[in-house]
Amino acid sequence: MDILSKKVLDKTVAEWINAFPLIKDIMNENEVLWTNPALLPFDDALKTLTLTKEDIDDASRRLDRFRSYFKRVFPETAEADGLIESPLYEALEMRHGLTEKYGVTLPSQLLIKLDSHLPISGSIKARGGIYEVLTLAERIAIAEGGLKETDDYAILADEKYKRLFSKYSVAVGSTGNLGLSIGIMSAKLGFRVTVHMSADAREWKKDMLRSKGVTVVEYENDYSVAVENGRREAEGDPFCHFIDDENSTTLFLGYSVAAERLRRQLDNAGIIINEENPLYVYLPCGVGGGPGGVAFGLKMQFGDNVHCFYAEPTHSPCMILGMLTGEHNKISVGDFGIDNRTIADGLAVGRASGFVGKETLHLMDGCYTVKDERLSALLKLLADKEDIYLEPSALAGAFGPVILARSADIPQGVHLVWATGGSMVPKDEMKKYYMAGEAVYGKY
Ligand SMILES: *Cc1c(COP(=O)(O)O)cnc(C)c1O
C-alpha cells in the first residue's frame, strides 16, 4: 500500500501532511527545524504544569541526603562532596570550528554541559536513573529499616541495608545508558536488577553490566519491546520495581535538578542570564525524560530568558512528530514509514513519552532533527577542536546553534550544547566513531 493512503489515527498520511506540511520533510529524513507554536510566556505555561518547583526542591534535597553515601561507595564523587555533577565548559575552538565549517556567524559564547563526564555511568542518565533508584531505596529503608531522613545516609552501605534491599528487585527496559545507570546503582545498593536491552544497545554496555552482577536480557527488537517485557515481568511482583522511562515523574524530577546546579555554575563563571543575555539550550532527545526534565528545571530557573530545543536524529523524530501533531505517544515514527535506525543509540526511540510531550508542550521553543552523518562529522570536529570525545547521540545538540543561525539571524546570548554521553565508551569503539566521522566529514 502507498504510504500516503495509510491511516494513522483518524487521518491518512496524506491528510497529516496536508495539515502539517513539515511532516513531508520529516518523512524524507531531511534535517528540519520546527518552532513550537504552543510555546507560552512562562507565567502562562506555569499554570498548565502538573509538577512544581517544590517537586524539584524535594528531589534536590533527596540527592543531598545521599551525598555521604556516594562519598562512601563511589569515591570518584568525593571531590564534588558526593554530588553527581558535570563540568560546564566554554568551547572557544569548537565555536570557531562550527563557524568555519558551516559558514555561519555564531553568537559570542558557546558552552558545553559535559554530562558525558558525569561520574558513575558517564551519561545524562546518571541524573534521572540514579535518582529513581535512590528514591526507591530511601522509601524501603525508611519503611523497613528504620532509616530517618536526618541520618547520615552512609549507613545505607552497611550489610544490614544491603540485605534488606536484596529482597527487592529492579527492572528496566533500555537502549543502553539508562540500563547502565539503573544497573550500576541498583547493584551497588544490593538490589537484584534486570535490564531488558533492545537490539541497538551496544555490546560493551551489556558486558559492563554483567560484570557488575546485573542480569541482562537481550531482544531482537527495538526499545519499546524491551520496555514492554520489563514491565510485564515486574507486574504482579510486589518486590519488583519497574522503572518506566516513558511515564516516570521520578526520573523526570531527577533530571530537573540539573538546572539549579547549572545556574550555580553560570554564576561562578560570572555569566548572568537575563533579557539582554538569554540562554539557548540544545538537548538530545530520545523518549524525552532527560531533556524534558532538564528543560522543565531550566524554565523554573530562568523563565522567559531560557529557550530550549529538543534535538533528534532524522531517523527517530518521535518527539517532533508527537508535539507537532499534538498526538504525542499515540503516534510513532513507524506510522510515517520512518525506520528508527540510527547510530545515535541513546536516541533510537520510535515513540516519545506522552507525559513529557504534554508537560513540556508550552515550555519548548522547538525541535530539530540531525542526520547520522552529521552526528559523526560533529563528533570528529569536537574531538579535533577540543579533545572532547562523545558518543554520537550526544552530538545532536551541537548542531543546534548552526540550525538556528541558518534559519534566521541567530539571537545573541549564551548558547549551551548539552553533551549527554560518551566518557565510558571503550577506546576502540570511539575510534570507529571517529573514523565514521572522517569518512563523511567533507560532506557534512
Ligand atoms: C537517553 C539519552 C538521551 C535522551 O534522553 P531521553 O530521556 O531518552 O530523552 C540523550 N543522550 C544520551 C547519550 C542518552 O543516553
Side-chain angles (χ1 to χ4, degrees), residues 116 122-125 174-178 205 223 245 251 255 283-293 310-311 319 344-349 356 391-396 418-422:
S116 46
S123 81
I124 188 171
K125 304 297 193 309
S174 172
T175 60
N177 286 340
L178 185 66
K205 292 183 183 173
Y223 163 83
D245 196 14
L251 268 174
Y255 291 116
L283 297 148
C285 180
V287 73
Y310 287 128
M319 187 58 87
D345 42 50
L347 313 181
V349 177
V356 174
E391 61 186 273
S393 298
L395 274 308
W418 212 281
T420 44

Side-chain angles (χ1 to χ4, degrees), residues 55 72 75 97 106 119 123 140 159 246 295 311 351:
D55 293 324
R72 178 168 171 194
L106 296 184
S123 81
I140 294 170
E159 208 39 51
E246 291 169 44
R351 191 183 296 276

Side-chain angles (χ1 to χ4, degrees), residues 186-207:
S186 301
K188 183 64 89 179
L189 280 156
F191 289 115
R192 285 172 290 127
V193 51
T194 305
V195 177
H196 299 262
M197 287 267 197
S198 52
D200 40 26
R202 315 298 303 178
E203 213 51 51
W204 67 266
K205 292 183 183 173
K206 299 176 195 168
D207 293 343

Side-chain angles (χ1 to χ4, degrees), residues 340-360:
N340 192 27
R341 282 176 188 276
T342 167
I343 56 164
D345 42 50
L347 313 181
V349 177
R351 191 183 296 276
S353 158
F355 154 65
V356 174
K358 289 170 201 162
E359 189 74 3
T360 63

Side-chain angles (χ1 to χ4, degrees), residues 99-149:
T99 302
E100 258 171 38
K101 183 165 174 52
Y102 299 111
V104 292
T105 309
L106 296 184
S108 53
Q109 206 156 29
L110 181 69
L111 303 178
I112 304 183
K113 181 65 174 153
L114 289 172
D115 274 11
S116 46
H117 291 67
L118 278 170
I120 300 170
S121 65
S123 81
I124 188 171
K125 304 297 193 309
R127 299 184 184 278
I130 287 177
Y131 175 70
E132 178 147 355
V133 177
L134 299 182
T135 305
L136 175 70
E138 186 185 54
R139 192 162 65 228
I140 294 170
I142 288 176
E144 298 179 43
L147 179 76
K148 293 191 292 299
E149 285 190 7

